[in-house]
Amino acid sequence: MNTTGNVTVIDHSTGLLLRRINFVNLVPGRLPRYAIAHQGKVFVSAQDGTVSVIDTASLDITRTITVGSNPEEMAISGDKLFVTNSGGFNFPNYDSTLSVINLNTLVETGKIRVGINPRKITADDNGNLYIVATGDYVTVPSSIVKVNAATETVSFRADTAVSTIRYYNNSLFVTNDFPYTGLSSNVRMLRISDFSNMSAGFIADATAITTPYGLEIDDNNGDVYITDAKDFVVSGEVFCFDKLGNKR
């Protein structure tokens, strides 16, 4: 729960609250940001430069790993957890690294330099990661960076205005979110080879989205869920589209 200092655990079948795991009771300022699950553990990035490990059986925090500055999204490839370190609170001295954590030892083994202000990340089925390095919003443009997870090296990079990125079925789904990219709001599909447009507009019907802020894809059927933050003041909406871009 962003800015609250806790992770809320809800029973997925009943919707009932099971527990609130309080992070700020452990360390003041440890505000949870993003979470990802793997083999009975949930990894939670926090704005104080850490990733905490929650055991899904006991719902206790069993370990906390120091990473880079202001970590954001995470992705798993093989036996490694990759964490984007944005340094977003350190303007103009952003971070530019991707932390690598060994999932067997739960130790950070190194960092990969990917570009200024990395925030969003997704992994494909072939050992590659795709990271959005957001830039500084003024002179350094947003870019997508492809990283080989095995060798931990950058294999391709291209400047393009993107705010959110997800991989599905050999394609990248990305959003343009005006406050961050400076472009009109849009949802596109990109080729994984060179990040060129497969589709300049994913939404096939007349559905209008003001500010596409979040994007997730159901791996089972290809449904695409897009959140619309509107103007960040009024209540937002969640839309579901089929894989052809038609609203369900």
Side-chain angles (χ1 to χ4, degrees):
M1 306 297 290
N2 193 34
T3 76
T4 67
N6 68 69
V7 169
T8 299
V9 185
I10 296 172
D11 187 300
H12 78 281
S13 59
T14 65
L16 296 177
L17 174 69
L18 297 178
R19 184 174 174 184
R20 287 190 177 92
I21 305 172
N22 196 310
F23 276 58
V24 293
N25 277 354
L26 299 175
V27 178
R30 180 163 291 171
L31 301 178
R33 185 68 172 152
Y34 288 98
I36 189 170
H38 180 71
Q39 295 185 350
K41 299 180 179 66
V42 170
F43 297 86
V44 181
S45 63
Q47 293 178 343
D48 67 337
T50 62
V51 171
S52 293
V53 185
I54 297 174
D55 181 276
T56 57
S58 66
L59 301 184
D60 292 326
I61 299 172
T62 59
R63 190 182 186 100
T64 297
I65 307 160
T66 299
V67 289
S69 176
N70 307 131
E72 300 269 356
E73 284 194 344
M74 299 163 285
I76 291 170
S77 185
D79 61 355
K80 300 173 184 177
L81 174 70
F82 295 85
V83 186
T84 58
N85 300 311
S86 72
F89 286 171
N90 299 329
F91 172 85
N93 301 313
Y94 294 105
D95 204 326
S96 61
T97 62
L98 192 67
S99 285
V100 184
I101 295 174
N102 185 304
L103 287 170
N104 299 312
T105 63
L106 300 181
V107 171
E108 184 194 57
T109 57
K111 289 186 173 74
I112 307 166
R113 194 166 297 279
V114 294
I116 291 176
N117 196 6
R119 297 174 64 241
K120 305 295 184 177
I121 185 171
T122 190
D124 68 14
D125 303 320
N126 300 304
N128 297 299
L129 304 157
Y130 304 88
I131 301 100
V132 176
T134 313
D136 65 1
Y137 308 106
V138 182
T139 60
V140 179
S142 171
S143 62
I144 302 178
V145 182
K146 185 176 183 178
V147 169
N148 183 301
T151 63
E152 299 178 14
T153 57
V154 173
S155 58
F156 189 74
R157 179 193 309 270
D159 290 343
T160 184
V162 169
S163 52
T164 302
I165 189 168
R166 289 293 179 265
Y167 170 85
Y168 177 74
N169 193 27
N170 214 36
S171 302
L172 295 172
F173 289 70
V174 301
T175 64
N176 294 336
D177 167 2
F178 174 76
Y180 293 101
T181 65
L183 295 183
S184 59
S185 297
N186 197 4
V187 180
R188 295 180 288 152
M189 294 175 63
L190 307 182
R191 295 178 177 87
I192 60 173
S193 56
D194 60 1
F195 308 149
S196 60
N197 278 343
M198 295 179 64
S199 169
F202 164 71
I203 299 173
D205 55 28
T207 304
I209 296 182
T210 304
T211 307
Y213 192 74
L215 187 153
E216 291 294 345
I217 302 173
D218 187 331
D219 289 333
N220 295 314
N221 60 14
D223 281 353
V224 178
Y225 293 85
I226 301 170
T227 64
D228 187 349
K230 307 297 183 182
D231 62 357
F232 299 94
V233 177
V234 302
S235 297
E237 290 184 276
V238 180
F239 296 88
C240 178
F241 298 88
D242 64 24
K243 59 186 176 182
L244 299 179
N246 297 300
K247 187 174 73 172
R248 288 196 177 278

